[in-house]
Amino acid sequence: MTGNSSALDPAVAARLKRNADGLVPAVAQQYDTGEVLMLGWMDDEALHRTLTTGRCTYWSRSRQEYWVKGDTSGHVQHVKSVALDCDGDTILVKVDQEGPACHTGTRTCFDGDVLLP
């Protein structure tokens, strides 16, 4: 993870409130329906790549490497907009999702374990 050494706009980087690992949660939401698809993690470099390529890039905490959603699965997230919440501690990425967003093969990561219907 490159942390603050990325090419992310310094004004944007200054607003981010990162966790102890230098990461910010990034919620992916289907842009036209509002469906919440998944949560990933971004550092400055992942956010920079997301903003400049139009494809969601995340930091994999388990593999300790960047991954572009869809490069392996074909289930690409095309970025429509990116917003930072009022506290600077969560990123909202509105995407056009091709295929399932969840690694289990379902449309969303939030449809399998409903705690309160």
Side-chain angles (χ1 to χ4, degrees), residues 34-77:
E35 180 181 30
V36 176
L37 301 170
M38 60 172 279
L39 175 107
W41 294 90
M42 293 184 181
D43 67 358
D44 291 29
E45 180 61 24
L47 179 56
H48 169 71
R49 292 179 188 187
T50 298
L51 292 170
T52 57
T53 66
R55 297 266 313 276
C56 282
T57 301
Y58 300 100
W59 175 256
S60 172
R61 296 177 300 162
S62 60
R63 295 187 312 265
Q64 294 290 295
E65 65 184 13
Y66 295 104
W67 58 281
V68 179
K69 182 68 174 169
D71 272 3
T72 303
S73 66
H75 304 145
V76 177
Q77 291 178 341

Side-chain angles (χ1 to χ4, degrees), residues 4-17:
N4 291 329
S5 64
S6 81
L8 183 64
D9 180 333
V12 174
R15 294 183 55 209
L16 294 177
K17 291 185 184 163

Side-chain angles (χ1 to χ4, degrees), residues 1 18-23:
M1 200 167 41
R18 301 160 195 83
N19 68 11
D21 296 321
L23 301 171

